[in-house]
Amino acid sequence: MFRPFLAVLLCLAMPAHAEVTGKVRVIDGDTFAIGETRVRLHGIDTPESTQMCGARGVSPWPCGAWVSDKVRSVYDGADARCAEVDIDRYGRVVAKCFVGGEDVGQHLVAEGLALAYAKYSQDYLPDESSARDAGRGLHGMAFERPARFREVQRDARAKTAALGQEVPEGCRIKGNISSSGGTMIYHVPGQRDYDATVISEARGERWFCSEDEARKAGWRRAMR
């Protein structure tokens, strides 16, 4: 006879999930700002804003910026309703967001602008499968999954730190000098040999902030 009363008490004791509403300002492919609140879209993953993609002979291209621009063109300034799921380690609200009643995360995955983040949710796996089969968005191009990209970047930073090096902010192009012949070649993120290339400033190798800067300094781009 006391069960309904106990159920009410238990519900009251559970933490309530917040709802964030307002106009969207797109930070990147999977992160919005709504007012003062940063919202990370639940269950999806998009290329990092600085991520370059390219494989199987495809020249590196700015997949992260491309996705961010596409998402911005659709959702920037839109009125959204976001239901909180969690808070991540960066203090962002992790939420499912809806614009005009449509699930934003599902839409982005279905259009190939985002991937299902199966580590946190299985909700959008069918949408990713359909987008991949149809070659929509990222699936029609050469790209690296964002989680793998971040893993490689963490490893590269660890190797760099172990050598006492520091990567200049925003300057991730590696100007390498070959040990045989002294040829000056630069590698951009996404190329095959980028991660294995270690910069030795003592040998005259250096970091560049753009390909144009590297070319003007006398370096040529690596073939792969």
Side-chain angles (χ1 to χ4, degrees), residues 17-21 30 32 34 39-44 80-86 93-99 102-106 120-124 127:
H17 289 297
E19 186 171 271
V20 181
T21 60
D30 53 31
F32 291 171
I34 299 179
V39 177
R40 172 67 164 83
L41 296 174
H42 174 67
I44 73 169
R81 176 178 61 82
C82 301
E84 179 188 320
V85 175
D86 199 0
V93 172
V94 179
K96 277 197 170 189
C97 292
F98 299 84
V99 170
E102 180 181 59
D103 184 336
V104 173
Q106 184 176 36
Y120 297 104
S121 174
Q122 308 286 308
D123 291 353
Y124 306 131
D127 301 288

Side-chain angles (χ1 to χ4, degrees), residues 22-147:
K23 290 195 179 297
V24 169
R25 179 166 61 88
V26 174
I27 305 300
D28 58 31
D30 53 31
T31 308
F32 291 171
I34 299 179
E36 299 299 316
T37 304
R38 286 288 178 106
V39 177
R40 172 67 164 83
L41 296 174
H42 174 67
I44 73 169
D45 201 13
T46 64
E48 299 297 308
S49 58
T50 58
Q51 183 173 340
M52 301 289 288
C53 294
R56 300 185 297 277
V58 177
S59 297
W61 62 285
C63 55
W66 180 80
V67 167
S68 294
D69 287 344
K70 289 286 188 181
V71 175
R72 193 170 288 114
S73 70
V74 176
Y75 290 112
D76 215 50
D79 290 309
R81 176 178 61 82
C82 301
E84 179 188 320
V85 175
D86 199 0
I87 301 292
D88 71 9
R89 59 178 176 162
Y90 304 108
R92 298 176 300 186
V93 172
V94 179
K96 277 197 170 189
C97 292
F98 299 84
V99 170
E102 180 181 59
D103 184 336
V104 173
Q106 184 176 36
H107 172 75
L108 294 179
V109 175
E111 291 300 312
L113 297 176
L115 305 175
Y117 209 168
K119 179 179 178 181
Y120 297 104
S121 174
Q122 308 286 308
D123 291 353
Y124 306 131
L125 288 175
D127 301 288
E128 180 179 325
S129 179
S130 296
R132 184 171 55 250
D133 291 345
R136 285 193 291 270
L138 290 167
H139 301 288
M141 311 172 194
F143 75 99
E144 183 175 39
R145 295 190 77 91

